[in-house]
Amino acid sequence: KELEKSEVIRQYFDEWGSRCYLFTSELGRQYDPSKHQKKSITVEFDVHQIKTMGCDYLLSAVEIENSETMNMKLLDKFTTKDVSYSIYLYEII
């Protein structure tokens, strides 16, 4: 459903190729966590399909507010003084 919300990110996703990324309409394609301070987002991904494709974990530059309802469990949040943003590790369950 996120790709349906933005033609720009849908086209970028469809034409990209060998990488596996998820996009959100809230942040767009050019999101840079070091320049933006958005702390959390709400997403609508087909988590079952992602799991079927062999993905067990998701790394995110922002906190996913509805992770539990999306069948994702926050395992850890990584921060360092040298980087201005955190990385969130989710397990897809």
Side-chain angles (χ1 to χ4, degrees):
K1 291 185 179 183
E2 290 296 322
L3 296 177
E4 294 171 5
K5 296 176 185 178
S6 170
E7 179 62 22
V8 172
I9 63 171
R10 188 215 49 84
Q11 185 176 12
Y12 192 64
F13 179 85
D14 286 346
E15 296 176 0
W16 216 3
S18 65
R19 301 175 192 169
C20 184
Y21 284 83
L22 298 173
F23 294 100
T24 174
S25 60
E26 264 185 84
L27 301 177
R29 191 184 105 186
Q30 299 296 327
Y31 179 70
D32 181 350
S34 65
K35 293 182 181 177
H36 302 89
Q37 296 303 315
K38 183 133 176 115
K39 302 293 184 197
S40 61
I41 59 172
T42 301
V43 297
E44 296 181 87
F45 297 131
D46 186 344
V47 178
H48 176 73
Q49 179 62 36
I50 294 168
K51 184 76 170 174
T52 300
M53 295 170 68
C55 183
D56 295 316
Y57 300 94
L58 180 107
L59 298 172
S60 179
V62 294
E63 183 177 8
I64 299 173
E65 290 177 8
N66 62 329
S67 60
E68 289 183 13
T69 61
M70 295 293 296
N71 294 322
M72 296 185 292
K73 178 182 176 184
L74 178 62
L75 296 180
D76 211 339
K77 176 183 174 184
F78 302 96
T79 59
T80 178
K81 63 181 180 175
D82 300 327
V83 179
S84 62
Y85 59 92
S86 300
I87 298 295
Y88 297 83
L89 173 62
Y90 292 92
E91 179 180 19
I92 299 173
I93 50 178

